[in-house]
């Protein structure tokens, strides 16, 4: 295993000076929801008490029409998080310049409080592979991802939050621990991290790691947002538990407990409920947000008590 | 292995189920596991076929979910999204369906898919205000033939030997009413404001609109419609198509 501390000696020279390391406007430390077309009308009519909304950038890359009309209206009422699922930051091939330009257009138009992407790859000669594929953690991939995160931040003109992946396989070639890998990227590019707690559970179970240890080792000072979602469960070829990052059900109890554990380290952080498949009615989504908000409030209160006691 | 080579290996194994697992992938047990790699294979194809099912819901209803998924899976095997802009995915799915032998019995299927592809293109198309037609009414009659009307960015025509608009319309409700007639139909798909509309228009109006959308001046477009149907009502067609939102601009001479 390479020593991350040595590599961190390189100065974080890559964040251009015109990019504030802390964006002037933040997402609030509240629960947020993914904004789905089936809920546009409800949200605008009832203006539910939700901390922020998040959209997948790729769904707003058309020239016009209802998606932009509604997003414009919602972005006037709520803080907005723009979440990319197609930039393929972990690819060996160069980033798609046209895609970067489309992202920049969206950032300029909607001025989101946060922009995030994944530590994954999805591009190939045959086209876009439409999944978040895993990469080995080596010095070569680390250098590649650092270049790509740097290029993306320059092109988009905003600091990026990089999300920890959920994975189903490991690479024999990997020489760097995932958390060290993420921390080094952040140290070298000035990017923040998006801590997906469901992904932590999925990867930890899948690779026989302790999810709490993962959280305990995570550089929480770099976390700008947390994601929560529901996983599916099956078994692999040997009958071992295999969790699938499915985004189609309520957040599981063990992930909520892990989230509570994470909050104790991060403090109150903007927290998104991800539910992208079999999207339920808005009330069901809002109930999930209420669960997360309750834990955020409890953590804030706990910190207040600690401060007073001190 | 370089990252580029390892990702190429991974992608080939992902896209071709008969290929061996990519070199170098493993598990915490230290053994590669096909069931785990299959999650990625499954994600790619389930994601793509689901994207097609969302874009082509009536096509799916006409053939049933199982047939649709199998057809979409075959399409996805050789047709990946050209870019991460997944909203464009399936633009050429109707052409694939037209050549798809097992669906040949449903001769109208590809045209229904064309309509559905046009529907989502209209949904995401650029917004444009509708032009004021009153200026045209005030024009000298001899200026009219040289007038050109630009298509609204959302507008598309589907001309079919099948009742494609009626079939699509009948499948918008939970229970499908019986078809009253089985005639050729021309359909205009257009989104003048925020709602995508599907209109069945007279065939000659469709020919007229198609010529205008292609850049022909009014006079030439009207002649094409007259050639098809001597009873073509030029004024009614122009006012009618305009009222539906088919046009975005009126220009004397060439469309800029």
């Amino acid at each position: 295993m390479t020593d991350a501390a040595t590599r961190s000696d390189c100065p974080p020279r890559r964040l251009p000076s015109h990019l504030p390391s802390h964006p002037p406007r933040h997402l609030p430390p509240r629960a947020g929801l993914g904004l789905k077309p089936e809920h546009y009308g409800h949200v605008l009519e009832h203006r539910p008490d939700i901390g922020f909304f998040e959209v997948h950038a790729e769904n707003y890359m058309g020239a016009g029409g209802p998606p932009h009309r509604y997003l414009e209206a919602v972005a006037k009422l709520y803080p907005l998080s723009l979440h990319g699922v197609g930039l393929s930051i972990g690819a060996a091939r160069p980033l798609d310049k046209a895609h970067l330009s489309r992202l920049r257009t969206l950032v300029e138009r909607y001025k989101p409080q946060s922009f995030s992407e994944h530590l994954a790859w999805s591009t190939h000669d045959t086209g876009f592979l439409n999944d978040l594929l895993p990469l080995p953690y080596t010095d070569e991939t680390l250098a590649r991802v650092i270049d790509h995160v740097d290029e993306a931040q320059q092109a988009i003109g905003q600091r990026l939050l990089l999300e920890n992946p959920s994975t189903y396989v490991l690479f024999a070639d990997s020489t760097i621990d995932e958390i060290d890998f993420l921390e080094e990227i952040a140290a070298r590019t000035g990017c923040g991290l998006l801590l997906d707690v469901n992904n932590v559970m999925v990867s930890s179970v899948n690779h026989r790691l302790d999810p709490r240890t993962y959280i305990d080792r995570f550089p929480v000072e770099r976390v700008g947002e947390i994601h929560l979602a529901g996983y599916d469960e099956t078994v692999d070829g040997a009958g071992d538990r295999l969790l699938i990052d499915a985004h189609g059900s309520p957040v599981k109890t063990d992930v909520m407990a892990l989230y509570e554990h994470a909050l104790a380290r991060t403090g109150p952080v903007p927290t998104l409920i991800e539910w992208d498949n079999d999207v339920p009615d808005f009330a069901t989504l809002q109930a999930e947000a209420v669960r997360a908000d309750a834990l955020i409030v409890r953590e804030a209160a706990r910190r207040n008590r600690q401060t007073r006691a001190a | 292995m370089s990252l580029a080579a390892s990702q190429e290996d991974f992608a080939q194994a992902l896209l071709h189920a008969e290929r061996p697992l990519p070199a170098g992938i493993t598990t915490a047990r230290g053994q590669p596991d096909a069931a785990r790699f299959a999650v990625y294979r499954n994600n790619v194809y389930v994601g793509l076929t689901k994207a097609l099912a969302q874009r082509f819901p009536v096509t799916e209803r006409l053939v049933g979910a199982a047939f649709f998924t199998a057809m979409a899976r075959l399409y996805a095997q050789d047709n990946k999204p050209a870019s991460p802009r997944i909203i464009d995915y399936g633009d050429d799915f109707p052409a694939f369906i037209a050549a798809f032998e097992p669906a040949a019995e449903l001769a109208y299927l590809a045209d229904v898919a064309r309509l559905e592809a046009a529907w989502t293109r209209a949904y995401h198309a650029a917004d444009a205000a509708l032009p004021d037609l009153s200026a045209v009414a005030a024009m000298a009659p001899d200026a009219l033939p040289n007038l050109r009307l630009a298509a609204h960015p959302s507008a598309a025509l589907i001309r079919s030997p099948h009742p494609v608009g009626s079939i699509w319309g009948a499948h918008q409700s939970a229970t499908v009413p019986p078809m009253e007639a089985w005639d050729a139909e021309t359909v205009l798909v257009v989104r003048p404001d925020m709602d995508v509309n599907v209109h069945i228009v007279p065939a000659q109006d469709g020919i007229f609109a198609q010529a205008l959308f292609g850049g022909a001046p009014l006079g030439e477009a009207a002649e094409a419609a007259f050639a098809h149907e001597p009873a073509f009502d030029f004024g009614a067609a122009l006012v009618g198509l305009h009222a539906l939102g088919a046009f975005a601009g009126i220009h004397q001479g060439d469309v800029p």
Side-chain angles (χ1 to χ4, degrees):
Chain A
M1 185 165 300
T2 318
D3 183 2
T6 333
R7 276 182 276 104
S8 287
D9 292 345
C10 305
R13 61 195 155 78
R14 285 165 180 269
L15 188 67
S17 55
H18 67 275
L19 289 181
S21 56
H22 299 287
R25 302 178 307 146
H26 296 276
L27 294 176
R30 292 273 319 269
L33 291 175
L35 179 65
K36 300 297 174 191
E38 47 270 60
H39 300 142
Y40 285 152
H42 179 93
V43 169
L44 290 177
E45 190 184 337
H46 299 282
R47 304 192 178 187
D49 180 25
I50 299 295
F52 65 97
F53 280 100
E54 182 160 297
V55 294
H56 287 179
E58 285 71 13
N59 291 336
Y60 293 85
M61 289 184 171
H68 287 294
R69 176 82 64 96
Y70 285 110
L71 184 55
E72 228 154 54
V74 171
K76 279 185 189 144
L77 299 171
Y78 296 90
L80 179 68
S81 166
L82 190 66
H83 189 53
V85 296
L87 190 54
S88 198
I89 281 173
R93 69 188 53 225
L95 294 183
D96 178 343
K97 302 290 185 289
H99 198 67
L100 279 174
S101 148
R102 289 191 288 262
L103 286 170
R104 186 183 179 104
T105 302
L106 279 176
V107 164
E108 285 176 346
R109 178 166 180 180
Y110 293 105
K111 302 184 171 47
Q113 276 73 9
S114 173
F115 171 71
S116 48
E117 251 289 355
H118 299 84
L119 178 62
W121 64 283
S122 50
T123 43
H124 186 243
D125 289 338
T126 56
F128 179 64
L129 296 176
N130 196 41
D131 193 21
L132 298 165
L133 300 171
L135 61 157
Y137 301 138
T138 66
D139 286 329
E140 184 197 1
T141 59
L142 180 64
R144 198 74 188 135
V145 171
I146 285 170
D147 283 348
H148 282 171
V149 169
D150 183 44
E151 183 186 356
Q153 293 189 129
Q154 301 273 359
I156 292 162
Q158 181 162 339
R159 184 171 180 253
L160 174 159
L161 302 180
L162 190 65
E163 178 177 333
N164 60 296
S166 58
T167 57
Y168 312 114
V169 300
L170 295 171
F171 290 87
D173 283 352
S174 286
T175 53
I176 308 173
D177 170 82
E178 182 171 288
I179 294 172
D180 294 341
F181 195 86
L182 284 163
E183 183 159 24
E184 183 66 10
I185 296 162
R188 295 277 297 279
T189 65
C191 81
L193 297 176
L194 193 166
L195 174 59
D196 188 315
V197 173
N198 185 59
N199 286 356
V200 171
M201 182 62 76
V202 168
S203 292
S204 298
V205 168
N206 289 349
H207 308 315
R208 297 183 177 176
L209 302 167
D210 176 18
R212 288 191 168 236
T213 307
Y214 188 105
I215 298 288
D216 291 343
R217 288 191 52 237
F218 206 81
V220 289
E221 68 284 0
R222 298 190 189 276
V223 172
E225 185 183 342
I226 284 179
H227 274 185
L228 297 174
Y231 60 74
D232 282 353
E233 178 158 3
T234 179
V235 289
D236 74 0
D240 283 355
R241 279 182 87 198
L242 182 63
L243 302 192
I244 314 285
D245 185 28
H247 296 193
S249 60
V251 181
K252 302 286 188 289
T253 313
D254 55 354
V255 172
M256 282 310 267
L258 188 60
Y259 171 55
E260 198 171 359
H261 183 70
L263 276 178
R265 289 206 64 220
T266 61
V269 186
T271 301
L272 180 81
I273 308 295
E274 291 189 292
W275 196 323
D276 301 311
N277 298 306
D278 305 320
V279 176
D281 61 16
F282 193 82
T284 306
L285 289 182
Q286 194 167 3
E288 288 288 282
V290 167
R291 283 170 82 196
D293 264 334
L295 293 182
I296 294 172
V297 166
R298 193 193 298 174
E299 175 57 23
R302 188 184 72 86
R303 288 183 176 231
N304 280 340
R305 279 197 305 277
Q306 264 182 352
T307 310
R308 281 199 302 271
Chain B
M1 195 167 15
S2 74
L3 181 61
S6 119
Q7 289 187 343
E8 181 57 29
D9 208 30
F10 196 99
Q12 290 303 334
L14 193 67
L15 299 176
H16 306 282
E18 73 284 2
R19 304 256 175 120
L21 297 188
I25 66 156
T26 185
T27 62
R29 300 189 300 273
Q31 301 283 325
D33 187 295
R36 286 166 174 260
F37 189 72
V39 176
Y40 293 110
R41 275 187 185 137
N42 190 53
N43 280 354
V44 171
Y45 286 109
V46 168
L48 294 180
T49 52
K50 205 182 261 183
L52 292 171
Q54 273 169 9
R55 188 171 182 186
F56 299 93
V58 175
T59 307
E60 185 188 30
R61 251 184 111 177
L62 287 167
V63 297
F67 187 98
F68 184 90
T69 304
M71 180 167 73
R73 175 74 172 71
L74 285 168
Y75 170 78
Q77 180 71 46
D78 293 324
N79 300 274
K80 299 294 176 302
S83 87
R85 192 161 68 171
I86 195 96
I87 55 178
D88 297 333
Y89 187 53
D91 273 349
D92 50 4
F93 189 47
F96 175 88
I97 293 174
F100 188 59
E101 197 61 37
E105 213 177 291
L106 302 182
Y108 50 86
L109 193 66
D111 283 349
V112 172
R114 280 189 189 103
L115 194 164
E116 294 195 291
W119 197 100
T120 33
R121 270 195 298 271
Y123 184 79
H124 290 291
D127 302 320
L130 304 183
D132 183 2
L133 208 59
S134 61
V136 175
M139 274 181 187
D142 61 345
L144 281 182
N146 292 324
L147 216 57
R148 289 173 207 265
L149 285 90
H152 192 274
S154 69
L157 282 161
I158 294 98
R159 295 169 59 197
S160 173
H162 312 288
V164 63
S166 299
I167 294 170
W168 183 87
H171 287 80
Q172 296 310 301
S173 50
T175 49
V176 180
M179 296 286 292
E180 286 167 11
W182 197 269
D183 299 317
E185 280 179 1
T186 299
V187 169
L188 173 70
V189 178
V190 68
R191 183 178 58 75
D193 186 37
M194 284 298 114
D195 293 324
V196 179
N197 299 323
V198 175
H199 304 283
I200 300 166
V201 298
Q204 58 272 26
D205 291 20
I207 291 168
F208 178 61
Q210 190 78 70
L212 290 170
F213 290 178
L218 262 186
E220 200 182 309
E223 274 170 35
F226 276 124
H228 176 84
E229 173 55 64
F232 172 63
D233 186 339
F234 168 81
L238 185 61
V239 171
L241 288 166
H242 172 264
L244 299 180
F247 306 116
I250 302 172
H251 310 275
Q252 193 70 50
D254 290 337
V255 174

